[in-house]
Amino acid sequence: MFFGSIVALITPFTSENCIDFDCVTQLVKWHIDSGTSAIVVAGTTGESPTLSDDEKFELAQHVVDVSQGKIKIIVGNGSNNTYASCQLTRRLNSLNIDGYLTVTPYYNKPTNEGLIAHYSEIARATTLPIILYNVPSRTACDLPNEVVAKLSELSNIVGLKDATADLSRIDKLRAKCGASFTLLSGDDETGFEFCRLGGDGVISVTANVVPQTMAAIQAHLNNNNIKQAKALELDLVALHRDLFIESNPIAVKWALYYLKKIPNALLRLPLTMISSQAKQKIEQTIVKSNLYPQEN
């Protein structure tokens, strides 16, 4: 159901600190034209911690309306408050979306039993498919393989976004969860190897900047054209690295502004504007990559 190059879409803002829906429209159309497989709305890269539930709903509704069924839409519905996640999920169920990306409950540090109970409650709040999201570098909460395996027994928990960069997990997860369970990389730097070793795709920050190239890499991997995929991937190594030179999505927003894809690089506090040194590094990387002309 979910595979290939999935973009973790940024959320552009106006100078009044509101969502720039006109800009969202242009970005969604660009991803449809570029061959992106799906869009994640209101994920980490979309600055979900500083979006209200009303904004998440309005943003998801807008993306659905713009896409007109031409691309799959996945919405971030996770939090560290199980009840709040269930409430948001029930509200989002009314939209024509394709599924949810549900991050582990950050800050609370639940036990494995708590993780299973948290996700089980959210799964009961919808019939739509749910992708688990494990990103311990941000949440201080790892989702162990045995917990993923237990949750995969629930009919609408269909996959995992793994941002641990631990490639040794892939074979173990596949063995525990079965061939039909979707494994997606959430780490651009190791995403190629993740897919080469048996993953089904990536939920990518880099895809915000070079969607055609990311889609082409995944298409080659899907067709077992490893050599062609690797050649394209080598051109992205520096970009994968430098888009995380400061806390995501600071750098990727600047890259999109530099490429004239968004009218500004505004963020919501506590994130602040990119430093001058990082700004220069991103611009140099884009120029040296020589990738962007084919995206324009």
Side-chain angles (χ1 to χ4, degrees):
M1 180 174 292
F2 303 116
F3 62 92
S5 178
I6 301 170
V7 64
L9 192 70
I10 64 147
T11 302
F13 298 117
T14 68
S15 56
E16 291 77 30
N17 202 28
C18 299
I19 296 174
D20 187 339
F21 287 103
D22 289 340
C23 186
V24 172
T25 296
Q26 297 308 311
L27 291 174
V28 170
K29 289 180 177 178
W30 184 36
H31 281 288
I32 291 170
D33 292 342
S34 298
T36 300
S37 298
I39 293 173
V40 171
V41 176
T44 305
T45 308
E47 295 176 72
S48 58
T50 52
L51 295 176
S52 69
D53 282 358
D54 284 346
E55 287 178 315
K56 290 174 185 177
F57 184 86
E58 291 164 7
L59 181 59
Q61 185 173 48
H62 183 80
V63 173
V64 166
D65 291 343
V66 172
S67 64
Q68 297 182 329
K70 296 176 183 176
I71 192 169
K72 292 185 183 298
I73 308 300
I74 303 163
V75 182
N77 67 336
S79 77
N80 66 336
N81 180 330
T82 308
Y83 176 78
S85 289
C86 290
Q87 289 291 94
L88 176 60
T89 301
R90 292 187 185 100
R91 187 177 177 189
L92 290 165
N93 285 340
S94 64
L95 301 178
N96 190 27
I97 61 176
D98 297 282
Y100 295 106
L101 179 66
T102 312
V103 72
T104 52
Y106 41 85
Y107 190 79
N108 302 16
K109 291 192 174 181
T111 62
N112 287 352
E113 182 181 1
L115 286 169
I116 291 168
H118 173 79
Y119 277 111
S120 297
E121 284 295 316
I122 296 171
R124 279 192 284 271
T126 185
T127 59
L128 291 172
I130 291 172
I131 300 169
L132 310 172
Y133 180 17
N134 190 24
V135 55
S137 63
R138 281 184 177 262
T139 63
C141 175
D142 186 35
L143 194 59
N145 290 351
E146 57 268 26
V147 174
V148 176
K150 183 67 176 177
L151 290 170
S152 72
E153 296 173 5
L154 300 178
S155 62
N156 61 333
I157 292 185
V158 302
L160 169 72
K161 176 185 177 182
D162 186 301
T164 66
D166 181 357
L167 298 177
S168 70
R169 292 190 177 209
I170 301 168
D171 284 344
K172 297 169 186 174
L173 284 166
R174 187 62 77 198
K176 289 176 179 292
C177 301
S180 63
F181 192 74
T182 299
L183 295 178
L184 301 167
S185 171
D187 178 68
D188 277 308
E189 285 197 72
T190 58
F192 176 84
E193 280 302 303
F194 184 99
C195 294
R196 193 184 67 80
L197 292 171
D200 299 295
V202 294
I203 296 181
S204 169
V205 174
T206 304
N208 280 282
V209 180
V210 283
Q212 288 180 353
T213 304
M214 289 296 293
I217 289 169
Q218 289 297 315
H220 281 310
L221 286 169
N222 189 52
N223 291 316
N224 205 32
N225 297 326
I226 306 300
K227 185 177 181 180
Q228 294 93 322
K230 185 65 173 178
L232 292 174
E233 175 66 16
L234 288 173
D235 289 332
L236 295 183
V237 170
L239 191 61
H240 289 328
R241 179 193 66 231
D242 291 342
L243 287 178
F244 291 86
I245 197 169
E246 292 187 3
S247 298
N248 182 48
I250 293 174
V252 70
K253 275 197 162 180
W254 180 260
L256 286 168
Y257 172 67
Y258 175 73
L259 294 168
K260 298 181 172 60
K261 289 296 182 181
I262 57 177
N264 60 61
L266 295 174
L267 303 120
R268 282 188 173 170
L269 290 171
L271 297 182
T272 53
M273 186 63 71
I274 192 169
S275 67
S276 57
Q277 297 93 329
K279 185 188 302 183
Q280 185 177 38
K281 180 65 173 174
I282 289 292
E283 293 172 3
Q284 289 173 347
T285 298
I286 290 171
V287 170
K288 288 179 181 178
S289 72
N290 203 29
L291 281 167
Y292 194 72
Q294 67 179 326
E295 303 288 346
N296 202 5

